Amino acid sequence: MRKAPCYAQITGCGHDTPERVVANHQLEERWSLPQGWIKRRTGIEQRSWAKPDQAVSDMAIAAGIRALTDADLDPGRVDLVILATSTPDYLLPPTAPFVAAKMGCTNAGAFDLAGACCGFLYGLSMAESHVALRHQVVLVIGANLLSRRLKPDDPATACLFADAAGAVVLQPSETPTGLLGVAQGANGAQWDTIMIAEGGSRANFGAGTWKRRGHLMTMKNGGSLFREAVHDMATVGRQAMADAALQMDAIDWWIPHQANGRLIEEARKALDVPVEKTQNRVARFGNSSAATIPLVLSVAVAEGEIQRGQTLLLTAVGAGMLRMGLVWSF
Protein backbone atom coordinates (compact mmCIF):
# COMPACT_ATOMS: atom_id res chain seq x y z
CA MET A 1 0.00 0.00 0.00
CA ARG A 2 1.34 3.42 -0.95
CA LYS A 3 1.99 5.62 2.06
CA ALA A 4 0.64 9.12 2.44
CA PRO A 5 3.11 11.77 1.17
CA CYS A 6 5.34 13.55 3.65
CA TYR A 7 8.07 16.18 3.37
CA ALA A 8 11.75 15.58 2.65
CA GLN A 9 14.17 17.49 4.88
CA ILE A 10 17.93 17.82 4.48
CA THR A 11 19.13 16.87 7.95
CA GLY A 12 22.86 16.58 7.32
CA CYS A 13 25.55 17.91 4.98
CA GLY A 14 29.15 16.85 4.41
CA HIS A 15 32.00 17.40 1.96
CA ASP A 16 35.52 16.28 1.21
CA THR A 17 38.38 17.63 -0.91
CA PRO A 18 41.85 16.15 -1.44
CA GLU A 19 44.69 17.52 0.67
CA ARG A 20 46.75 18.37 -2.41
CA VAL A 21 46.00 21.99 -3.37
CA VAL A 22 47.26 23.23 -6.75
CA ALA A 23 47.61 27.01 -6.95
CA ASN A 24 47.35 28.99 -10.17
CA HIS A 25 51.01 29.96 -10.23
CA GLN A 26 52.01 26.29 -10.42
CA LEU A 27 49.98 25.82 -13.60
CA GLU A 28 50.94 29.17 -15.08
CA GLU A 29 54.60 28.29 -14.67
CA ARG A 30 54.00 24.89 -16.30
CA TRP A 31 52.37 26.50 -19.35
CA SER A 32 54.53 29.65 -19.43
CA LEU A 33 51.48 31.86 -18.95
CA PRO A 34 51.48 35.41 -17.56
CA GLN A 35 50.91 35.64 -13.83
CA GLY A 36 47.21 36.08 -13.11
CA TRP A 37 46.08 34.68 -16.48
CA ILE A 38 43.96 31.88 -14.95
CA LYS A 39 42.17 34.03 -12.40
CA ARG A 40 41.34 36.71 -14.96
CA ARG A 41 39.78 34.14 -17.29
CA THR A 42 38.10 31.83 -14.76
CA GLY A 43 37.90 33.45 -11.33
CA ILE A 44 39.66 30.36 -9.93
CA GLU A 45 42.65 30.78 -7.63
CA GLN A 46 43.28 27.16 -6.65
CA ARG A 47 41.86 23.65 -6.89
CA SER A 48 42.31 20.32 -5.11
CA TRP A 49 43.61 17.31 -7.03
CA ALA A 50 43.67 13.77 -5.71
CA LYS A 51 46.82 11.83 -4.97
CA PRO A 52 47.64 8.83 -7.19
CA ASP A 53 46.30 6.34 -4.66
CA GLN A 54 42.93 8.10 -4.24
CA ALA A 55 39.72 7.16 -6.06
CA VAL A 56 36.40 8.96 -6.31
CA SER A 57 34.91 6.51 -3.80
CA ASP A 58 37.37 7.72 -1.15
CA MET A 59 36.00 11.26 -1.35
CA ALA A 60 32.39 10.06 -1.62
CA ILE A 61 32.74 7.91 1.50
CA ALA A 62 34.32 10.74 3.50
CA ALA A 63 31.64 13.24 2.46
CA GLY A 64 28.87 10.72 3.12
CA ILE A 65 30.14 9.86 6.60
CA ARG A 66 30.35 13.55 7.49
CA ALA A 67 26.78 14.10 6.27
CA LEU A 68 25.56 11.16 8.38
CA THR A 69 27.45 12.50 11.40
CA ASP A 70 25.95 15.94 10.86
CA ALA A 71 22.50 14.33 10.75
CA ASP A 72 23.31 12.26 13.87
CA LEU A 73 22.12 9.22 11.91
CA ASP A 74 23.28 5.62 12.10
CA PRO A 75 24.38 4.42 8.62
CA GLY A 76 22.21 1.33 9.00
CA ARG A 77 19.12 3.53 8.82
CA VAL A 78 19.87 4.69 5.26
CA ASP A 79 17.53 3.09 2.73
CA LEU A 80 19.06 4.38 -0.52
CA VAL A 81 22.41 5.83 -1.65
CA ILE A 82 22.54 7.85 -4.89
CA LEU A 83 26.00 8.70 -6.21
CA ALA A 84 26.14 11.36 -8.92
CA THR A 85 29.47 10.99 -10.71
CA SER A 86 31.06 11.03 -14.15
CA THR A 87 34.27 9.43 -12.90
CA PRO A 88 33.37 6.13 -11.19
CA ASP A 89 36.04 3.88 -9.73
CA TYR A 90 35.38 1.39 -12.57
CA LEU A 91 33.21 1.26 -15.68
CA LEU A 92 31.64 -1.79 -14.06
CA PRO A 93 30.41 -2.36 -11.36
CA PRO A 94 28.75 0.88 -10.17
CA THR A 95 30.62 2.69 -7.42
CA ALA A 96 27.61 3.48 -5.19
CA PRO A 97 27.22 -0.06 -3.74
CA PHE A 98 30.89 -0.05 -2.69
CA VAL A 99 30.49 3.41 -1.14
CA ALA A 100 27.36 2.30 0.73
CA ALA A 101 29.11 -0.81 2.08
CA LYS A 102 32.17 1.12 3.24
CA MET A 103 29.98 3.61 5.09
CA GLY A 104 28.05 0.85 6.84
CA CYS A 105 24.79 1.43 4.97
CA THR A 106 24.12 -2.31 5.02
CA ASN A 107 20.36 -1.99 4.48
CA ALA A 108 20.53 0.43 1.57
CA GLY A 109 19.99 0.15 -2.14
CA ALA A 110 22.56 2.05 -4.18
CA PHE A 111 23.12 3.26 -7.74
CA ASP A 112 25.26 5.64 -9.79
CA LEU A 113 23.74 8.56 -11.68
CA ALA A 114 25.61 9.97 -14.68
CA GLY A 115 24.18 13.46 -15.07
CA ALA A 116 27.46 15.38 -15.42
CA CYS A 117 27.26 18.84 -13.80
CA CYS A 118 23.50 18.43 -13.23
CA GLY A 119 23.89 15.02 -11.63
CA PHE A 120 23.51 16.07 -8.02
CA LEU A 121 20.34 18.07 -8.73
CA TYR A 122 18.79 15.16 -10.60
CA GLY A 123 19.73 12.91 -7.69
CA LEU A 124 18.31 15.35 -5.15
CA SER A 125 15.03 15.58 -7.06
CA MET A 126 14.74 11.79 -7.27
CA ALA A 127 15.62 11.43 -3.59
CA GLU A 128 12.95 13.95 -2.58
CA SER A 129 10.29 11.93 -4.40
CA HIS A 130 11.53 8.73 -2.78
CA VAL A 131 11.41 10.23 0.71
CA ALA A 132 8.01 11.85 0.21
CA LEU A 133 6.33 8.73 -1.17
CA ARG A 134 8.20 5.94 0.60
CA HIS A 135 9.05 7.66 3.90
CA GLN A 136 12.61 6.38 3.62
CA VAL A 137 16.05 7.88 4.27
CA VAL A 138 18.20 8.76 1.25
CA LEU A 139 21.86 9.80 1.07
CA VAL A 140 22.73 11.78 -2.08
CA ILE A 141 26.40 12.27 -2.96
CA GLY A 142 27.98 14.25 -5.78
CA ALA A 143 31.62 13.30 -6.36
CA ASN A 144 34.14 13.59 -9.16
CA LEU A 145 37.83 12.99 -9.68
CA LEU A 146 38.36 15.01 -12.85
CA SER A 147 42.09 15.67 -12.59
CA ARG A 148 42.83 12.32 -14.27
CA ARG A 149 40.62 13.15 -17.24
CA LEU A 150 42.40 16.37 -18.17
CA LYS A 151 44.88 16.98 -20.97
CA PRO A 152 47.88 18.37 -19.06
CA ASP A 153 48.86 20.65 -21.95
CA ASP A 154 45.38 22.16 -22.41
CA PRO A 155 44.95 25.24 -20.17
CA ALA A 156 41.37 25.71 -21.38
CA THR A 157 40.25 22.68 -19.38
CA ALA A 158 43.09 21.77 -17.03
CA CYS A 159 42.90 25.03 -15.08
CA LEU A 160 39.14 24.68 -14.51
CA PHE A 161 38.50 21.24 -13.12
CA ALA A 162 38.98 19.87 -9.63
CA ASP A 163 38.31 16.85 -7.41
CA ALA A 164 35.74 16.95 -4.61
CA ALA A 165 32.66 15.39 -3.05
CA GLY A 166 29.57 16.75 -1.31
CA ALA A 167 26.69 14.90 0.32
CA VAL A 168 23.29 15.45 1.91
CA VAL A 169 21.02 13.25 4.04
CA LEU A 170 17.29 13.44 3.36
CA GLN A 171 14.82 12.22 5.96
CA PRO A 172 11.01 12.21 6.21
CA SER A 173 9.57 15.18 8.04
CA GLU A 174 6.16 16.52 9.03
CA THR A 175 7.53 20.07 8.74
CA PRO A 176 6.81 21.72 5.37
CA THR A 177 10.24 21.69 3.77
CA GLY A 178 12.07 20.37 0.73
CA LEU A 179 11.34 20.75 -2.98
CA LEU A 180 9.18 23.75 -3.92
CA GLY A 181 9.87 24.06 -7.64
CA VAL A 182 11.74 22.25 -10.40
CA ALA A 183 12.72 22.82 -14.03
CA GLN A 184 14.83 20.69 -16.34
CA GLY A 185 15.85 20.31 -19.95
CA ALA A 186 18.55 19.28 -22.39
CA ASN A 187 19.94 20.26 -25.78
CA GLY A 188 20.98 16.88 -27.14
CA ALA A 189 21.97 18.41 -30.45
CA GLN A 190 25.13 19.60 -28.71
CA TRP A 191 25.83 16.37 -26.85
CA ASP A 192 29.48 16.35 -27.97
CA THR A 193 30.45 19.85 -26.81
CA ILE A 194 32.06 18.47 -23.63
CA MET A 195 33.01 14.83 -23.82
CA ILE A 196 35.40 11.95 -23.24
CA ALA A 197 35.34 10.34 -26.67
CA GLU A 198 36.52 6.78 -25.99
CA GLY A 199 35.76 4.05 -23.51
CA GLY A 200 32.04 3.66 -24.14
CA SER A 201 30.07 1.33 -26.40
CA ARG A 202 30.20 3.79 -29.33
CA ALA A 203 33.99 4.02 -29.33
CA ASN A 204 35.72 1.51 -27.11
CA PHE A 205 39.29 1.78 -25.91
CA GLY A 206 41.61 0.74 -28.72
CA ALA A 207 45.27 0.44 -29.55
CA GLY A 208 45.47 4.13 -30.40
CA THR A 209 43.37 5.49 -27.54
CA TRP A 210 46.29 6.63 -25.41
CA LYS A 211 48.11 8.20 -28.37
CA ARG A 212 44.94 10.03 -29.44
CA ARG A 213 44.21 10.77 -25.78
CA GLY A 214 40.66 9.64 -26.39
CA HIS A 215 40.30 8.84 -22.69
CA LEU A 216 40.69 12.50 -21.75
CA MET A 217 38.21 15.37 -21.72
CA THR A 218 37.71 17.71 -24.65
CA MET A 219 35.69 20.90 -24.82
CA LYS A 220 34.90 22.68 -28.07
CA ASN A 221 33.09 25.82 -29.26
CA GLY A 222 34.05 27.61 -26.06
CA GLY A 223 32.43 30.95 -26.94
CA SER A 224 29.06 29.56 -27.99
CA LEU A 225 29.14 27.05 -25.13
CA PHE A 226 29.66 29.90 -22.66
CA ARG A 227 26.78 31.94 -24.06
CA GLU A 228 24.38 28.99 -24.09
CA ALA A 229 25.36 27.99 -20.56
CA VAL A 230 24.68 31.52 -19.27
CA HIS A 231 21.31 31.60 -21.04
CA ASP A 232 20.31 28.14 -19.83
CA MET A 233 21.40 28.78 -16.24
CA ALA A 234 19.27 31.91 -16.07
CA THR A 235 16.33 30.34 -17.89
CA VAL A 236 16.16 27.24 -15.73
CA GLY A 237 16.42 29.38 -12.61
CA ARG A 238 13.46 31.52 -13.68
CA GLN A 239 11.47 28.42 -14.61
CA ALA A 240 12.12 26.78 -11.24
CA MET A 241 11.02 29.91 -9.39
CA ALA A 242 7.90 30.13 -11.56
CA ASP A 243 7.13 26.49 -10.74
CA ALA A 244 7.42 27.38 -7.06
CA ALA A 245 5.32 30.54 -7.59
CA LEU A 246 8.13 32.62 -6.06
CA GLN A 247 10.01 35.76 -7.05
CA MET A 248 13.68 36.48 -6.45
CA ASP A 249 12.90 38.47 -3.31
CA ALA A 250 11.73 35.20 -1.69
CA ILE A 251 15.08 33.49 -2.39
CA ASP A 252 17.66 33.66 0.39
CA TRP A 253 20.56 32.06 -1.46
CA TRP A 254 21.41 31.14 -5.05
CA ILE A 255 23.85 28.23 -5.36
CA PRO A 256 24.88 27.88 -9.01
CA HIS A 257 27.02 25.11 -10.40
CA GLN A 258 30.55 26.44 -9.97
CA ALA A 259 31.62 26.19 -13.61
CA ASN A 260 33.85 29.27 -13.56
CA GLY A 261 33.69 32.77 -12.18
CA ARG A 262 32.79 34.53 -15.44
CA LEU A 263 29.88 32.19 -16.10
CA ILE A 264 28.52 32.58 -12.57
CA GLU A 265 28.72 36.38 -12.83
CA GLU A 266 27.05 36.59 -16.24
CA ALA A 267 24.31 34.16 -15.18
CA ARG A 268 23.83 36.15 -11.97
CA LYS A 269 23.22 39.31 -13.99
CA ALA A 270 20.88 37.54 -16.41
CA LEU A 271 18.91 36.02 -13.53
CA ASP A 272 19.02 39.33 -11.61
CA VAL A 273 20.36 37.76 -8.41
CA PRO A 274 21.88 40.19 -5.90
CA VAL A 275 25.58 39.60 -5.24
CA GLU A 276 24.87 39.23 -1.54
CA LYS A 277 22.55 36.27 -2.24
CA THR A 278 25.08 34.42 -4.41
CA GLN A 279 27.19 31.51 -3.15
CA ASN A 280 30.31 31.81 -5.31
CA ARG A 281 33.22 29.78 -3.99
CA VAL A 282 34.80 28.83 -7.29
CA ALA A 283 38.00 30.74 -6.45
CA ARG A 284 38.77 28.26 -3.67
CA PHE A 285 37.42 25.00 -5.06
CA GLY A 286 37.30 25.18 -8.87
CA ASN A 287 34.88 23.09 -10.92
CA SER A 288 34.22 19.54 -9.70
CA SER A 289 31.11 19.05 -11.86
CA ALA A 290 28.32 17.27 -9.92
CA ALA A 291 30.14 17.86 -6.64
CA THR A 292 30.12 21.67 -6.73
CA ILE A 293 26.60 22.37 -5.44
CA PRO A 294 26.64 19.94 -2.47
CA LEU A 295 30.20 21.03 -1.69
CA VAL A 296 29.23 24.70 -1.56
CA LEU A 297 26.05 23.89 0.37
CA SER A 298 27.99 21.93 2.99
CA VAL A 299 30.65 24.63 3.39
CA ALA A 300 28.06 27.41 3.63
CA VAL A 301 26.06 25.51 6.24
CA ALA A 302 29.21 24.75 8.26
CA GLU A 303 30.17 28.43 8.17
CA GLY A 304 26.70 29.51 9.32
CA GLU A 305 25.67 31.35 6.17
CA ILE A 306 22.90 28.98 5.07
CA GLN A 307 20.46 28.32 7.89
CA ARG A 308 17.26 26.41 8.59
CA GLY A 309 14.10 27.91 7.15
CA GLN A 310 15.88 29.63 4.25
CA THR A 311 14.86 29.18 0.62
CA LEU A 312 17.54 28.12 -1.87
CA LEU A 313 17.69 28.35 -5.65
CA LEU A 314 20.00 25.68 -7.12
CA THR A 315 20.88 25.76 -10.84
CA ALA A 316 23.23 23.76 -13.05
CA VAL A 317 24.16 23.41 -16.72
CA GLY A 318 26.67 20.91 -18.03
CA ALA A 319 27.83 18.22 -20.44
CA GLY A 320 25.13 16.92 -22.76
CA MET A 321 23.84 20.47 -22.40
CA LEU A 322 21.68 19.26 -19.54
CA ARG A 323 20.13 21.95 -17.38
CA MET A 324 18.25 21.81 -14.10
CA GLY A 325 16.95 24.19 -11.47
CA LEU A 326 15.46 23.51 -8.05
CA VAL A 327 13.89 25.72 -5.43
CA TRP A 328 14.40 24.12 -2.05
CA SER A 329 13.13 25.05 1.41
CA PHE A 330 16.06 24.28 3.69
Side-chain angles (χ1 to χ4, degrees), residues 223-242:
S224 61
L225 173 63
F226 180 88
R227 290 188 293 272
E228 181 168 353
V230 168
H231 174 269
D232 287 356
M233 185 89 84
T235 298
V236 81
R238 285 191 290 267
Q239 290 172 340
M241 287 190 293

Side-chain angles (χ1 to χ4, degrees), residues 109-286:
F111 66 90
D112 290 5
L113 193 162
C117 300
C118 294
F120 174 78
L121 294 190
Y122 274 99
L124 185 60
S125 177
M126 295 172 66
E128 189 273 345
S129 298
H130 193 86
V131 174
L133 293 175
R134 300 288 298 165
H135 296 202
Q136 294 186 334
V137 178
V138 184
L139 175 63
V140 186
I141 306 172
N144 274 300
L145 201 162
L146 295 166
S147 60
R148 293 190 200 138
R149 291 293 177 263
L150 302 175
K151 295 179 180 178
D153 58 352
D154 178 18
T157 55
C159 67
L160 290 173
F161 292 101
D163 306 333
V168 296
V169 176
L170 273 68
Q171 293 183 254
S173 173
E174 296 181 356
T175 303
T177 185
L179 189 62
L180 303 178
V182 62
Q184 59 192 14
N187 180 4
Q190 296 194 42
W191 61 272
D192 61 345
T193 303
I194 304 173
M195 68 181 303
I196 296 174
E198 299 182 39
S201 61
R202 178 66 63 185
N204 198 5
F205 293 131
T209 293
W210 316 117
K211 184 177 181 179
R212 291 188 299 270
R213 299 192 294 182
H215 62 298
L216 302 178
M217 186 187 306
T218 59
M219 184 166 59
K220 64 181 184 180
N221 303 328
S224 61
L225 173 63
F226 180 88
R227 290 188 293 272
E228 181 168 353
V230 168
H231 174 269
D232 287 356
M233 185 89 84
T235 298
V236 81
R238 285 191 290 267
Q239 290 172 340
M241 287 190 293
D243 190 54
L246 295 177
Q247 301 292 328
M248 183 55 69
D249 59 3
I251 301 298
D252 293 293
W253 292 103
W254 174 47
I255 307 180
H257 163 52
Q258 312 281 292
N260 65 69
R262 290 174 56 231
L263 195 155
I264 293 172
E265 178 60 14
E266 291 302 313
R268 184 193 68 77
K269 293 176 182 177
L271 193 50
D272 198 22
V273 184
V275 172
E276 61 270 18
K277 290 187 175 184
T278 303
Q279 285 287 340
N280 181 352
R281 296 170 184 263
V282 74
R284 176 182 171 189
F285 294 112

